[in-house]
Amino acid sequence: MTILNKTFDTQYNTAPFSKIKNEDFLPAFKIAIENAKNEIDTIVNNTELPTFKNTIEALDFSGEELDRISSIFFNLNSAETNDEIQKIAQKVSPILSEFSNDITLNEDLFKRVKAVYDSKSDLELTTEQETLLDKKYKSFSRNGANLPEDKKEKLRAIDKELSQLKLKFGEHILAETNKFEMLLTDENDLSGLPEGAKEAAKQLAESKGKDGWLITLDYPSYIPFMTYADNRELREKLSKAFGSKGFHNDDLDNQDIVLKIANLRFERAQLLGYNTHAHFVLEERMAETPEKVNAFLNELLDKAKPAAQEEFEKLEAFAKEIDNIDRLQKWDSAYYSEKLKQKLFDLDDEKLKPYFKLENVINGAFTVANKLFGLQFEEINTIDKYHEDVLTYKVTDSEGELVSIFYADFFPRSGKRNGAWMTSYKPQMIKNGVNERPHVSIVCNFTKPTKSKPSLLTFNEVTTLFHEFGHALHGMLANTTYPSLSGTSVYWDFVELPSQVLENWCYEEESLKLFATHYETGEVIPMELVEKIKASATFHEGMQTLRQLSFGMLDMSWHGIDPTAITNVKAHEVEAFGATKLYPDVEENCMSTAFAHIFQGGYSSGYYSYKWAEVLDADAFEYFKQEGIFNKTVANKFKIFVLSQGGTENPMTLYKKFRGQEPQPEALLRRAGLIK
Ligand SMILES: [Zn+2]
């Protein structure tokens, strides 16, 4: 027994960070897994007939101890890790996946789940219970539980091969990225680059024992060079190297792997009774079918293309004007866009930062949440934290009832991974009649204050804070019975709605004047600056939209069809890109062979969801704008039908209850100024 295997006897049952020792984790996991196994055995060995309560509900409430220990451990591994924790993670991860495989492959357990599922129509279930039953049943059936033994074996063989191929795909890209180096010895070749980027290139060369400046395909090196370097030939060289990863017909080539992955996914889907891999994936998405995704992408394409073409022509004319460039190429895109943007907006972060002192922005987010949802945030110093930088709050509603515990961890340090994210230490659920409130956290990497200067955020950091805070509200306001349906446990293409919609409050005068005040003078941010921020935020939105659509369409071209007839990766890709094309094709480049999102990560048949989420948030915010951005009625509908519902119902149904209609792509195009 370790401290982690007990109920935490603190006021809010919060994690006892300061009392946990690293050596507690492994034994705690082992005990918790044993306990979770016993809970599953109890369900399986129940002599009573399977019911919703003794099987489905019992399954969802099982493993609570294991979930809490996992969330504490893996959250620390992201936000405050060290060698020891990473070693434990390597040991624990396979044990955990073995445990979850044991559940999905447990045939006796599936028999009971199926018995309940098959009698669904006779049971008087609530909508939430029906959703839970469906979800539990599918967690087995989508892994082959209904298949005869020989097909089950086939499925497992496919899964094994797929995971090896995905691994190999990623290894090849990594090796290709690391292999390429562009060493520059003439300082003139770096003309245009900001000092910081030059410095970094110099240091990189030094670290490898070389003289000069080293440019690589890693984003922090590649992006500044493509954006600022005046030397067009070098940009071309770098761009072509970047675009040909996995496409050299050598031992790091990914063309065969791409074909194999697409075909195995198709075969797997067919085994399970689906038309294509996309049909399989989209069954558990708001978009539901490939037909709907394709229609969505095509509708956006039709409407955004004229604007994109106009932007492209203007950019080409601009390049002609300043550098006498006749035909704009891919390696010119970031460079001339940046130049044109500077010319049009002359907006730099240093001008904006004084209006966004971190404390003011936090208070701004809290004020927005208060005006919309009646939430109160009170800083408390009585609960344990994992690092002294972490801020802790008690969140209550307008009646003073506890809504959530909220952790906020803003500054970078070694042991914290990059980026920003929302997570939780304890889910919300209603167990034994008690509504257990969640413990929610956001983690960011913002500039730390110094002795003489407070933390002043860039505008991008401001929207990041609101974004993560939007996810946090989804977690905090959760009000469901079952933990696996609570808060942000929603379909993938719905989860970014609360976060993205909240970013909109960063662009409105009515909300900015509540918190965007100069940290020295107290002056409210000038509206002329706000207008510039807005205009620059949608700069080249048409071309950006086409780019995103091209990736979404490429993804669907591999996964929404029968791929068995495809033999040439490049030819297939050129065809898929046809409708979205602006720049001339580069013969020696291939996107698919390095498209890690869909061939290595989990985005297959899911790339459309970036645009989908934008449409949702633009459409939802348009409703707020119509009625007033702090309108209580709209806010309350958003809380009741979206934020508090988690995954208890199909997201389209929830969205329509909030909005009164399905989301309209026009809302996004209007916000971006692409249509009137
Ligand atoms: Zn997000």
Side-chain angles (χ1 to χ4, degrees):
M1 196 81 155
T2 76
I3 173 115
L4 283 156
N5 300 95
K6 293 175 200 149
T7 311
F8 308 141
D9 57 349
T10 56
Q11 188 181 4
Y12 302 106
N13 192 13
T14 48
F17 295 110
S18 67
K19 298 192 191 76
I20 307 169
K21 294 185 209 74
N22 284 343
E23 59 263 34
D24 289 336
F25 281 115
L26 211 51
F29 270 114
K30 285 182 179 158
I31 295 168
I33 287 176
E34 262 332 291
N35 292 341
K37 275 184 181 162
N38 289 337
E39 289 170 13
I40 301 286
D41 287 346
T42 307
I43 298 169
V44 173
N45 299 328
N46 194 333
T47 49
E48 286 169 34
L49 286 174
T51 63
F52 181 84
K53 198 169 171 56
N54 75 20
T55 303
I56 306 299
E57 190 174 293
L59 191 56
D60 207 53
F61 283 124
S62 76
E64 192 185 339
E65 179 192 12
L66 180 59
D67 288 344
R68 280 212 77 180
I69 296 172
S70 296
S71 65
I72 293 171
F73 178 77
F74 288 105
N75 282 330
L76 287 180
N77 192 30
S78 297
E80 182 66 9
T81 194
N82 53 47
D83 289 349
E84 215 177 318
I85 290 186
Q86 282 168 359
K87 268 187 204 135
I88 300 168
Q90 280 168 9
K91 279 190 197 146
V92 159
S93 298
I95 303 176
L96 287 175
S97 51
E98 195 191 319
F99 172 69
S100 76
N101 283 341
D102 283 349
I103 295 180
T104 35
L105 298 175
N106 186 326
E107 296 192 4
D108 294 327
L109 181 60
F110 178 59
K111 268 186 206 144
R112 289 187 69 96
V113 171
K114 189 170 159 60
V116 182
Y117 185 79
D118 288 342
S119 64
K120 190 159 73 167
S121 50
D122 304 327
L123 309 172
E124 278 171 20
L125 300 179
T126 64
T127 307
E128 179 175 356
Q129 289 173 329
E130 259 181 58
T131 305
L132 184 70
L133 174 55
D134 216 47
K135 184 172 174 167
K136 291 290 171 207
Y137 176 77
K138 283 193 176 135
S139 71
F140 292 91
S141 68
R142 286 168 63 85
N143 280 301
N146 279 319
L147 296 178
E149 206 43 53
D150 57 328
K151 288 191 174 165
K152 258 186 201 157
E153 258 167 50
K154 177 86 203 150
L155 191 82
R156 268 166 236 160
I158 292 177
D159 283 343
K160 198 172 162 198
E161 198 180 345
L162 270 173
S163 66
Q164 284 161 349
L165 285 167
K166 282 154 99 180
L167 214 62
K168 217 170 180 185
F169 183 93
E171 284 167 9
H172 286 178
I173 298 175
L174 188 65
E176 289 270 58
T177 307
N178 293 337
K179 206 167 98 174
F180 178 87
E181 284 183 351
M182 188 165 82
L183 184 69
L184 305 174
T185 47
D186 181 353
E187 193 164 359
N188 291 327
D189 287 339
L190 292 117
S191 137
L193 280 191
E195 274 315 309
K198 265 167 103 171
E199 187 69 24
K202 180 136 196 115
Q203 275 175 16
L204 193 61
E206 269 169 23
S207 74
K208 301 203 170 183
K210 290 174 183 169
D211 278 338
W213 296 264
L214 200 59
I215 307 295
T216 70
L217 298 181
D218 281 322
Y219 280 109
S221 179
Y222 173 76
I223 299 281
F225 199 89
M226 294 309 297
T227 312
Y228 299 106
D230 296 328
N231 188 322
R232 194 179 188 216
E233 273 165 38
L234 291 177
R235 288 201 316 266
E236 176 177 350
K237 185 180 168 194
L238 194 66
S239 165
K240 282 183 172 170
F242 193 90
S244 61
K245 286 186 259 181
F247 193 56
H248 294 117
N249 294 309
D250 57 8
D251 55 341
L252 297 177
D253 194 279
N254 274 340
Q255 293 174 81
D256 267 352
I257 296 182
V258 163
L259 291 173
K260 274 188 193 147
I261 289 178
N263 279 288
L264 283 169
R265 281 175 173 163
F266 176 70
E267 201 186 331
R268 188 186 195 279
Q270 294 253 307
L271 261 179
L272 291 169
Y274 297 87
N275 275 342
T276 68
H277 178 67
H279 287 87
F280 169 78
V281 170
L282 293 167
E283 181 186 59
E284 296 197 318
R285 296 283 191 271
M286 185 179 181
E288 285 185 314
T289 63
E291 291 73 26
K292 203 152 181 187
V293 170
N294 290 331
F296 169 78
L297 295 172
N298 282 318
E299 189 185 349
L300 269 182
L301 175 64
D302 277 351
K303 289 177 175 148
K305 200 165 180 178
Q309 247 150 359
E310 204 185 308
E311 288 167 6
F312 182 79
E313 280 156 25
K314 279 189 184 156
L315 188 64
E316 200 164 47
F318 176 69
K320 172 89 183 159
E321 182 195 315
I322 64 171
D323 282 336
N324 204 25
I325 302 265
D326 281 321
R327 188 73 176 98
L328 210 57
Q329 300 286 347
K330 277 184 184 149
W331 42 91
D332 299 319
S333 137
Y335 180 78
Y336 288 106
S337 287
E338 178 62 27
K339 285 242 174 328
L340 185 57
K341 193 175 176 181
Q342 283 305 328
K343 186 183 157 191
L344 294 175
F345 305 110
D346 180 33
L347 195 67
D348 83 63
D349 272 331
E350 296 311 311
K351 278 188 206 148
L352 297 173
K353 276 162 80 173
Y355 297 98
F356 297 113
K357 185 169 106 170
L358 175 62
E359 288 77 4
N360 293 345
V361 180
I362 298 170
N363 283 332
F366 290 170
T367 307
V368 167
N370 179 267
K371 288 175 88 86
L372 291 172
F373 311 117
L375 296 178
Q376 312 271 356
F377 291 78
E378 182 199 336
E379 191 170 356
I380 46 171
N381 290 307
T382 49
I383 64 174
D384 220 337
K385 30 178 118 177
Y386 57 88
H387 190 278
E388 57 178 9
D389 280 355
V390 178
L391 303 172
T392 46
Y393 300 88
K394 177 178 146 186
V395 189
T396 50
D397 64 16
S398 47
E399 268 106 55
E401 291 291 320
L402 180 71
V403 170
S404 173
I405 293 296
F406 178 53
Y407 300 86
D409 177 2
F410 288 117
F411 305 122
R413 55 177 177 265
S414 66
K416 191 198 264 194
R417 72 172 157 93
N418 293 331
W421 61 94
M422 167 268 184
T423 182
S424 83
Y425 285 93
K426 182 181 176 352
Q428 178 273 335
M429 66 180 100
I430 301 174
K431 197 176 177 186
N432 304 322
V434 180
N435 193 331
E436 295 186 16
R437 299 312 305 167
H439 300 169
V440 170
S441 167
I442 62 174
V443 188
C444 309
N445 280 284
F446 297 151
T447 319
K448 230 184 149 150
T450 61
K451 271 196 187 123
S452 58
K453 226 176 190 181
S455 169
L456 301 175
L457 303 187
T458 64
F459 189 71
N460 192 19
E461 290 175 330
V462 175
T463 55
T464 300
L465 195 150
F466 271 70
H467 180 103
E468 299 311 331
F469 188 66
H471 282 308
L473 288 172
H474 202 184
M476 290 183 216
L477 289 166
N479 204 13
T480 67
T481 303
Y482 303 110
S484 76
L485 301 177
S486 180
T488 54
S489 305
V490 297
Y491 285 162
W492 194 336
D493 52 1
F494 193 57
V495 75
E496 294 299 330
L497 168 61
S499 52
Q500 288 186 185
V501 85
L502 216 76
E503 290 181 37
N504 289 285
W505 275 264
C506 302
Y507 296 89
E508 297 296 321
E509 180 176 359
E510 203 183 335
S511 55
L512 281 170
K513 69 180 185 206
L514 299 171
F515 68 92
T517 49
H518 197 284
Y519 80 105
E520 285 172 326
T521 65
E523 171 214 15
V524 174
I525 188 168
M527 280 312 120
E528 166 226 14
L529 269 182
V530 177
E531 287 311 316
K532 272 190 180 176
I533 296 173
K534 271 193 187 177
S536 75
T538 54
F539 177 65
H540 281 175
E541 181 83 9
M543 288 201 286
Q544 294 295 353
T545 300
L546 243 62
R547 193 176 133 85
Q548 289 288 327
L549 293 176
S550 75
F551 298 157
M553 287 175 170
L554 181 63
D555 175 20
M556 293 307 288
S557 82
W558 283 113
H559 298 116
I561 50 142
D562 170 357
T564 42
I566 306 173
T567 51
N568 185 318
V569 174
K570 172 76 182 180
H572 172 77
E573 177 174 300
V574 168
E575 201 187 312
F577 279 154
T580 52
K581 195 175 147 196
L582 289 171
Y583 291 88
D585 177 56
V586 182
E587 207 185 323
E588 57 267 58
N589 282 5
C590 185
M591 165 90 194
S592 300
T593 53
F595 200 175
H597 265 78
I598 65 166
F599 289 113
Q600 185 192 354
Y603 266 83
S604 61
S605 318
Y607 205 91
Y608 76 89
S609 53
Y610 286 109
K611 273 287 153 207
W612 184 272
E614 279 183 49
V615 166
L616 287 182
D617 100 73
D619 188 68
F621 191 66
E622 198 164 80
Y623 188 24
F624 274 102
K625 283 274 272 191
Q626 278 162 11
E627 308 294 324
I629 64 166
F630 290 115
N631 182 285
K632 285 267 184 332
T633 312
V634 181
N636 204 36
K637 278 167 102 177
F638 195 64
K639 178 171 118 181
I640 291 173
F641 297 123
V642 177
L643 294 175
S644 68
Q645 291 292 327
T648 55
E649 212 174 339
N650 184 296
M652 190 60 94
T653 314
L654 292 176
Y655 190 83
K656 285 199 307 211
K657 283 184 188 171
F658 155 66
R659 186 66 168 100
Q661 61 185 45
E662 289 202 5
Q664 309 291 316
E666 285 83 354
L668 173 63
L669 300 164
R670 267 194 294 274
R671 186 177 66 183
L674 299 185
I675 56 170
K676 288 280 169 301

